[in-house]
């Protein structure tokens, strides 16, 4: 399973992404489990909101952090996220 | 033992709210205390809300509503709503008995994140026998409704000698019901399961066969179902890292408000487990005798004290050490370095003998009549 660059990416309806004040971290919550995210992973996942495909996410993040060349890292992370079921494509 | 000031106390992450010991089912492996009928007081809705708020403030984020059967509490939707407002991820751990579509929708509306339904076996006869109550069809229906209304569907099957031969059918049933997660929980021998151990513990051959079937299936369904396999620790050489370490992660509140570092800790002598009626969650977690008792490694005896694996498994389970060796400070006898490891081997042999004999004694079902005998 890997990301299809043409398709819109959704966050999984079976998981929840949330900021944890006590841990000062974003986390993914699912039945009886939790994954702690670093900042860049959290920024990517927040854009998986059902309105963007891969290139939109890359463009938005490169703009936000005033940088270029993020694409490969973003793809690598999204593949992991897809395999873990955190995100979905139709 | 306790009280070394050097130990850094981490905040609770997991709160298990045992709302009631009442339950319409009678599973003979139930982890509730044998004498639960003595502890029939229940704290109020307001008390539960305070507990939820205080634990959340400290950093608890996963919340399990369990019991007994949590659906028995009429204030469940109100508590679920409170939990959602606080930002918990809430898990309802239920037998499914009495869960209507209307209730499922009401709980969803209140903000419940997930429902775990337990099924006792893959056939009606055996399910209803183990549950002590006719419930198979309604459980399957509940599983379908949970799925239909967009919850992650977690099916939990406790595995023991009466149902282990059904492993292929149990897996097929989970697939047919569309489970997102399947928990195959080999029985842990506490509470009622300890009392019924000779009758519940499978033989090693049975375990190995069932585990192989489950592993093969796991690979087959890897894209659609996650399988959690709770190992039968009696057949391991090392104990489980119980509770991820005492007082590090888990906080259980029993129906009467007693705070426990693990849900079996009520059985341990001399811990003086505190009650939420008398102290705040922060006092309980940080300062109480019970929660500090086995924190860190200072309390350990040999062979754990000088073992290089002590940060990995924390010496195993305190309740198991107590139940099987009589001293809760001992190494968990599952460990093959434990001088008491023979008690595990004897338990396995005794269960095996019982499995191979014809005249087995009957299971002791979990109900208030039987509870009064303990
Ligand atoms: S294990 Fe069975 S008897 Fe015990 S609380 Fe759960 S459903 Fe009820
Ligand atoms: S001796 Fe104690 S610490 Fe060492 S492996 Fe066994 S249980 Fe773990």
């Amino acid at each position: 399973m890997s990301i299809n660059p043409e398709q819109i990416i959704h966050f999984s309806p079976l998981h929840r992404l949330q900021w944890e004040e006590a841990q000062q971290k974003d986390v993914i919550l699912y039945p009886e489990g939790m994954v702690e995210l670093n900042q860049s992973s959290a920024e990517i996942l927040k854009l998986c909101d059902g309105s963007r495909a891969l290139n939109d996410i890359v463009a938005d993040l490169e703009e936000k952090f005033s940088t270029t060349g993020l694409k490969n890292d973003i793809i690598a992370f999204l593949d992991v996220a897809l395999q873990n079921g955190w995100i979905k494509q139709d | 033992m306790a009280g070394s000031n050097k130990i850094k106390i981490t905040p609770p992450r997991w709160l298990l709210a045992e709302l009631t010991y009442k339950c319409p089912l009678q599973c003979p492996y139930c982890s509730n205390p044998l004498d639960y009928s003595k502890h029939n007081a229940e704290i109020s809705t307001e008390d539960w809300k305070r507990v939820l708020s205080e634990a959340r403030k400290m950093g608890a984020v996963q919340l399990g509503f369990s019991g007994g059967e949590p659906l028995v509490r009429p204030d469940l939707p109100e508590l679920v709503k409170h939990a959602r407002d606080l930002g918990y991820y809430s898990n309802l751990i239920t037998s499914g008995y009495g869960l209507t579509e209307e209730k499922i929708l009401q709980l969803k509306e209140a903000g419940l994140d997930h429902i775990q339904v337990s099924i006792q076996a893959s056939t009606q006869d055996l399910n209803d026998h183990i549950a002590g109550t006719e419930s198979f069809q309604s459980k399957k229906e509940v599983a379908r409704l949970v799925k239909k209304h967009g919850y992650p569907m977690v099916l939990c099957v406790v595995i023991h000698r009466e149902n282990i031969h059904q492993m292929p059918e149990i897996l097929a049933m989970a697939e047919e019901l569309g489970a997102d997660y399947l928990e195959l929980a080999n029985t842990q021998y506490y509470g009622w399961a300890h009392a019924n151990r000779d009758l519940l513990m499978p033989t090693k051959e049975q375990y190995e066969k069932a585990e192989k079937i489950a592993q093969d299936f796991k690979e087959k369904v890897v894209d659609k179902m996650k399988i959690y396999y709770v190992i039968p620790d009696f057949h391991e050489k090392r104990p489980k890292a119980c509770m991820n370490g005492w007082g590090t992660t888990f906080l259980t509140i029993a129906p009467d408000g007693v705070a426990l570092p693990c849900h079996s800790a009520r059985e341990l002598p001399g811990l003086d487990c505190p009650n939420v009626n008398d102290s705040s969650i922060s006092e309980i977690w940080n300062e109480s005798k019970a929660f500090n008792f086995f924190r860190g490694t200072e309390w350990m005896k040999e062979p754990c004290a000088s073992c290089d694996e002590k940060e990995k498994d924390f010496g195993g389970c305190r309740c198991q050490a107590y139940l099987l060796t009589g001293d809760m400070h001992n190494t968990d006898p599952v460990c093959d370095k434990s001088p008491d490891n023979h008690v595990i081997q004897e338990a396995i042999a005794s269960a095996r003998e019982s499995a191979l004999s014809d005249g087995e004694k009957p299971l002791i079902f979990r109900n208030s009549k039987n509870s009064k005998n303990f």
Side-chain angles (χ1 to χ4, degrees):
Chain A
M1 242 196 307
S2 57
I3 285 290
N4 177 336
E6 309 302 326
Q7 277 178 353
I8 297 288
I9 306 172
H10 304 262
F11 194 74
S12 155
L14 302 185
H15 294 72
R16 195 199 307 162
L17 178 63
Q18 142 177 329
W19 171 255
E20 274 303 288
E21 192 60 32
Q23 301 178 59
Q24 292 292 305
K25 265 186 200 129
D26 283 288
V27 299
I28 297 175
L29 298 164
Y30 53 95
E32 296 177 30
M34 174 169 75
V35 179
E36 300 177 10
L37 297 169
N38 60 28
Q39 201 201 344
S40 54
S41 310
E43 294 295 339
I44 300 172
L45 287 174
K46 281 179 203 161
L47 297 180
C48 300
D49 60 356
S51 74
R52 296 171 175 85
L54 175 64
N55 283 338
D56 310 316
I57 293 176
V58 173
D60 283 7
L61 287 173
E62 289 184 345
E63 190 187 315
K64 182 165 180 183
F65 296 103
S66 315
T67 180
T68 53
L70 295 182
K71 190 164 181 175
N72 286 344
D73 287 345
I74 293 176
I75 293 176
F77 175 73
L78 287 175
D79 282 343
V80 171
L82 189 67
Q83 275 151 27
N84 286 319
W86 303 337
I87 55 173
K88 293 261 173 289
Q89 294 191 301
D90 299 322
Chain B
M1 80 152 227
S4 165
N5 297 324
K6 289 166 292 186
I7 300 166
K8 188 177 168 295
I9 300 179
T10 53
R13 288 278 177 256
W14 241 108
L15 173 61
L16 186 67
E18 294 186 328
L19 297 182
T20 179
Y21 284 140
K22 295 197 190 88
C23 183
L25 305 196
Q26 312 179 36
C27 309
Y29 50 72
C30 184
S31 63
N32 288 161
L34 288 163
D35 62 354
Y36 73 88
S37 61
K38 275 192 213 131
H39 309 286
N40 54 10
E42 289 186 10
I43 60 173
S44 69
T45 309
E46 290 316 308
D47 290 333
W48 276 118
K49 285 188 176 172
R50 176 173 55 85
V51 166
L52 263 47
S53 300
E54 289 180 8
R56 176 73 185 132
K57 205 163 163 204
M58 291 177 71
V61 58
Q62 283 282 351
L63 169 63
F65 288 111
S66 87
E69 174 49 68
L71 290 167
V72 170
R73 283 278 298 216
D75 55 359
L76 179 64
E78 190 179 342
L79 297 177
V80 166
K81 164 101 177 42
H82 187 67
R84 185 67 192 91
D85 291 344
L86 293 167
Y88 277 107
Y89 187 90
S90 47
N91 307 270
L92 177 66
I93 300 162
T94 176
S95 70
Y97 193 83
L99 188 52
T100 58
E101 184 158 25
E102 194 190 342
K103 194 93 195 204
I104 290 174
L105 284 165
Q106 187 193 12
L107 290 168
K108 180 102 197 174
E109 180 82 357
L112 184 66
D113 289 289
H114 136 240
I115 300 181
Q116 176 190 300
V117 183
S118 64
I119 295 195
Q120 278 67 9
S122 65
T123 53
Q124 166 140 21
D125 282 0
L126 188 55
N127 177 87
D128 294 356
H129 168 62
I130 296 293
T133 311
E134 195 180 314
S135 54
F136 186 62
Q137 293 305 339
S138 72
K139 280 165 179 283
K140 280 178 59 170
E141 182 55 19
V142 163
R144 286 198 192 90
L145 289 169
V146 164
K147 184 87 184 164
K148 174 176 161 198
H149 291 294
Y151 289 101
M153 205 262 276
V154 184
L155 211 60
C156 172
V157 185
V158 176
I159 304 294
H160 44 75
R161 200 159 79 225
E162 301 255 327
N163 68 3
I164 194 164
H165 64 285
Q166 292 188 338
M167 185 58 84
E169 291 81 20
I170 289 170
L171 297 168
M173 174 176 73
E175 193 174 19
E176 188 238 300
L177 291 171
D180 298 295
Y181 300 81
L182 172 64
E183 187 169 318
L184 295 168
N186 278 290
T187 302
Q188 309 286 307
Y189 295 95
Y190 305 97
W192 294 79
H194 179 70
N196 285 307
R197 192 176 65 199
D198 274 350
L199 296 163
L200 291 176
M201 194 188 292
T203 63
K204 192 156 195 230
E205 297 87 318
Q206 287 175 314
Y207 273 133
E208 284 169 353
K209 190 168 162 207
E211 183 168 4
K212 168 110 184 34
I213 295 170
Q215 290 301 344
D216 291 349
F217 184 80
K218 193 171 176 171
E219 283 162 35
K220 201 183 112 200
V221 295
V222 68
D223 287 340
K224 47 181 183 177
M225 194 193 303
K226 289 212 163 41
I227 299 186
Y228 297 133
Y229 192 82
V230 180
I231 56 159
D233 63 347
F234 274 45
H235 292 283
E236 299 292 313
K237 291 192 164 47
R238 290 288 177 270
K240 53 186 180 255
C242 198
M243 295 289 119
N244 192 36
W246 186 272
T248 64
T249 313
F250 290 91
L251 168 63
T252 296
I253 308 293
D256 54 356
V258 171
L260 305 166
C262 103
H263 65 271
S264 296
R266 223 181 173 125
E267 302 181 44
L268 299 176
L271 283 191
D272 304 334
C273 288
N275 191 300
V276 300
N277 287 324
D278 310 317
S279 326
S280 70
I281 299 297
S282 140
E283 285 163 349
I284 287 171
W285 186 262
N286 293 311
E287 291 156 36
S288 72
K289 173 178 167 193
F291 279 78
N292 282 298
F293 216 91
F294 295 114
R295 269 195 177 121
T297 53
E298 293 279 294
W299 56 270
M300 285 181 179
K301 305 206 318 197
E302 291 300 344
C304 295
S306 57
C307 177
D308 60 6
E309 292 177 62
K310 67 183 173 191
E311 301 289 347
K312 209 162 97 191
D313 60 33
F314 320 109
C317 169
R318 297 303 89 224
C319 303
Q320 193 142 278
Y322 176 66
L323 273 176
L324 300 183
T325 76
D327 180 348
M328 60 182 180
H329 296 83
N330 280 343
T331 299
D332 185 331
V334 161
C335 183
D336 70 0
K337 297 185 190 180
S338 158
D340 299 303
N341 182 255
H342 61 92
V343 300
I344 298 286
Q345 305 316 323
E346 283 153 20
I348 293 172
S350 157
R352 186 182 179 84
E353 196 177 309
S354 164
L356 301 178
S357 75
D358 328 304
E360 279 195 299
K361 45 181 196 191
L363 285 164
I364 307 166
F365 286 90
R366 178 249 196 235
N367 55 42
S368 34
K369 185 163 157 270
N370 287 334
S371 174
K372 292 195 175 103
N373 297 329
F374 290 104

